[in-house]
Every structure is written in C-alpha cells, then in structure tokens.
Amino acid sequence: MRLPKAFWLLWLGQACNRIGTLAPAFLVLYLEQGKLVNAQTTPVIVGLFGAGVVASGLAGGAVADTIGPRRTIISAQPLAAATALAFLVTSNVYLLCLLSLLTGFLSAVDRPAGAGLIAKIVPQEDFSRAYSLYMVGFNVGMSLGPVLAGFLLASYPPALFVVWAACSGVYALLVCALPADGPRQAAGDGTSVLRTAVRGIAEPFRSRVMLAFLALTFVLACVYLQVNSTLPLGMRAEGLGPGEIGLVLAVNAVLSVVLLPLVPRVTKGMAEEVPLMLAAGFVAVGFGLNVLAHGIPVFIVTTVIWTLGEVLWTTVSAAFVARHAPAGRVSTYQGSFFFAWNAAFVAGGPVGIALAASFGYSTLWLAALGLGLVVTLGFKFMVRMPGFGAAAGAPDAARDIPTPASPPVSAS
C-alpha cells in the first residue's frame, strides 16, 4: 500500500531539518575556532547540549499530546531558527552555554511529535514500514549534515547557522501542509496546558510493562552508544588510523540506509518479543566480538553484526511503543522512549571509558556482551508481565477519525 502524501512531506521536512541541524561536535569546533570558548568551557557546552536533548524527549512527547504534534513541530522551528542565529551575535560565555542547552532541546523536541504524526496519518498496519522509511530520511540527513557542516566551517563558518535557520523554516513550512491537529485539550486556566503536559510526562512510567521496556532500553542504549565513545578509542588502541576508523563506521551508515526499509518484511508474523530479542542479541554479540578484533576486517564484521541489531531495534521499538500507548498518548510514550535512550548518552559513554581505562577494552567488550544478553532475556520474560498485551491498536485510537478495527501492530 502506498503511503499518503502527508507522510512524505513529514519525511522530507525532518530530513531537511537534520541536514541543517548542527551536531554538537561541529558547534564546539565553531566556538573553539572563533576563540569564543576555552578548553575548560567545552565540556560544559557539550554537557548542556546533551542535557537539552535528554529533556526534549519527555517534554516534547507530553506537549505534542497536549497541543497536537503538528502544532508542536511548527512552534519549535521558529525558536530553533532564532536560537541558531543568536550564535552569530553572541560572544558571552554564559549566553553561549544557555544557547547550547536550548539548541540541544530544540534539536530533538520534534522527534516524539514526528512519531505521533506518523501514527495519525498512516494506517496502523503500515506504521512499522512508515517508521522505517522515516528513519531512513533521518539517517540520510544525519549523514549529510556533517559533510555540509565541514564544508561550511572551512569556507564560511557563519553560514552554519544561516543554513540551520533556513532548514528549520523549510521544516515548518512542509509540516504546515499536513492535516491540522484536532482541537486542543480544554483549558481551565492559562497554565492548564503546562500542567497537563507535566502530569502526562509521568504516565508511561506508571505502566509496569512500559517501565520494564524503558529500563531495558536504557541498558541496551548504554551498550550500543559505545559507538560514540569507546569504540573509536578501542579501534585507535588497536592501531587503526582516523581514515580506517571512518571506513569501519561508514559500513554502519550505509547498511542502516539499505536495511531499514526491509525490517517490516523480515519481522512480519513474528511474536512481538522476538524482534526485540533479536535486536538486543545482535547488539550484544556485535560489541562483544570486538574482544577478538585487532584489525579492520574483524571490526567490519562486528560492525555488520551490531548494525543488524540497530536497524531491527529502530523499527520494532517504535512499533512496540506505539502499540502499548493508550489512545491519544503516542507522542508522550515515544517521548519516554527517547528519554530512556538519550539518558544513556550521559551514563553509557563515561562509564565505558572509565571501565576501559581501568580494566582494558577486553573487559569492556565482555561486559557489553553480558549486559546485552541480559536485555535479550529481559525481553523474553517481559511477555509474562500482566498487561503485556494491553492497549492494542493504540495508534489507530490516537486518530481523530473512526477507522475499522484492525489487528494489533506487531513488529511488522
């Protein structure tokens, strides 16, 4: 079945936005190149950016379910553009820190709303396929963004923020063409929307099934996110140069784009927990086998294995959350998922680096294998929890129009 035009407008908008959004590494390079920060300030900038990203999941999901996902995305983009342009006229270190926090928040606040929009504009049986394609656009944007940022940083650094603001504007215009959100939740006073959103943030954590899923997500993310910290360091310790490390990680980028659209077809008909277990198992084995890697060939093999886990996880986790979200709460539940995943940026990287420094990379990779296998078993036992099959068909229930009854979303 062909996906509706509204989906492709959302796809194009978020891909364009990701191309323009400045990654924290390039933000730091810009600030250091302009002598706007020193070595002591750089970790603070990066930390505040990360804190903004972590907070955006919870806040973005709850706000999207309170005022509507389309309104959330459209409202965030002018703020993102203004924040980007503010970097061009700011040299005060405290203001730069504040802008970094806002930048991290606004760079990711649309993601739960985007997942919620997909649940509204595509049929329930196509959610997994649509989300896979959505993430292809996301990955394409994230891959092209650093290339463009590197070129602009070398040729005319202020253009980084002009392009960022322009891409935010394009994103807002494309989302404006999507079907309007339903009526806002009734407002009893001027602060009721904020209160409703704050109350909604805690809702997913009151479900035992979702709490278990979020806890397992956090642990798995701590393993997977070694790709951003200890994995490059480990490859360097084995004698690989920057170019060789980039080559290995490029395998992940290419495979992700190629394989993501195939996931719904491969997992169709599987019991709900099976793709989750496979994803966690591939991540565990892929990182664990790094203990045997001493050169490019084995590192490429291990990268292929954990990339299989990544592409499975990207789609089946979103489908799981959408299925278990109550009516009208898809964005909130997706936000809690993004929070659990992004929180691992704060914990996983530093802990991995400390473990490798104290006990060596072999210990780190074996620990990653062990934690990943624990998560795999956790998904197996989660099906025994009361309420595991609840909230079936939630993505359809989240729409504002009646639809025929359809089977629950599996990972297909």
Side-chain angles (χ1 to χ4, degrees), residues 143-391:
S143 299
L144 294 178
V147 177
L148 177 61
F151 171 77
L152 295 177
L153 188 64
S155 56
Y156 184 61
L160 288 166
F161 302 98
V162 176
V163 170
W164 187 353
C167 289
S168 296
V170 171
Y171 189 20
L173 288 174
L174 289 171
V175 175
C176 281
L178 269 60
D181 292 320
R184 301 186 189 205
Q185 295 185 9
D189 54 55
T191 61
S192 63
V193 170
L194 178 60
R195 290 175 180 172
T196 301
V198 171
R199 286 196 300 268
I201 287 174
E203 181 180 330
F205 300 93
R206 291 195 290 264
S207 163
R208 284 186 291 179
V209 171
M210 276 303 300
L211 186 59
F213 175 79
L214 294 173
L216 293 172
T217 294
F218 172 78
V219 176
L220 184 63
C222 285
V223 175
Y224 170 80
L225 291 174
Q226 300 304 314
V227 69
N228 293 327
S229 54
T230 57
L231 182 58
L233 296 175
M235 287 191 282
R236 187 179 66 183
E238 292 294 339
L240 275 65
E244 294 170 317
I245 293 172
L247 174 64
V248 172
L249 296 180
V251 172
N252 165 253
V254 173
L255 281 180
S256 295
V257 172
V258 172
L259 297 179
L260 267 169
L262 304 178
V263 172
R265 190 178 306 172
V266 172
T267 59
K268 186 177 182 179
M270 291 184 180
E272 189 174 21
E273 75 279 7
V274 173
L276 295 172
M277 294 175 61
L278 287 173
F282 278 127
V283 170
V285 173
F287 280 94
L289 285 178
N290 283 327
V291 73
L292 304 177
H294 303 292
I296 291 180
V298 180
F299 274 119
I300 288 179
V301 171
T302 62
T303 298
V304 169
I305 295 172
W306 59 255
T307 298
L308 292 174
E310 175 194 352
V311 296
L312 276 171
W313 176 256
T314 297
T315 301
V316 300
S317 59
F320 178 92
V321 174
R323 179 179 182 272
H324 286 266
R329 308 302 291 170
V330 174
S331 294
T332 296
Y333 275 61
Q334 292 287 354
S336 68
F337 167 73
F338 290 131
F339 169 77
W341 186 266
N342 290 331
F345 273 108
V346 179
V351 171
I353 291 173
L355 186 61
S358 300
F359 302 101
Y361 283 99
S362 294
T363 300
L364 170 66
W365 303 135
L366 291 175
L369 174 63
L371 285 175
L373 293 178
V374 168
V375 173
T376 304
L377 292 175
F379 286 131
K380 175 63 177 177
F381 290 112
M382 196 170 64
V383 300
R384 303 180 182 179
M385 297 182 66
F388 180 80

Side-chain angles (χ1 to χ4, degrees), residues 34-59:
K35 295 182 170 44
L36 297 172
V37 298
N38 54 35
Q40 289 72 37
T41 309
T42 298
V44 178
I45 293 287
V46 174
L48 288 172
F49 188 100
V53 171
V54 171
S56 68
L58 292 177

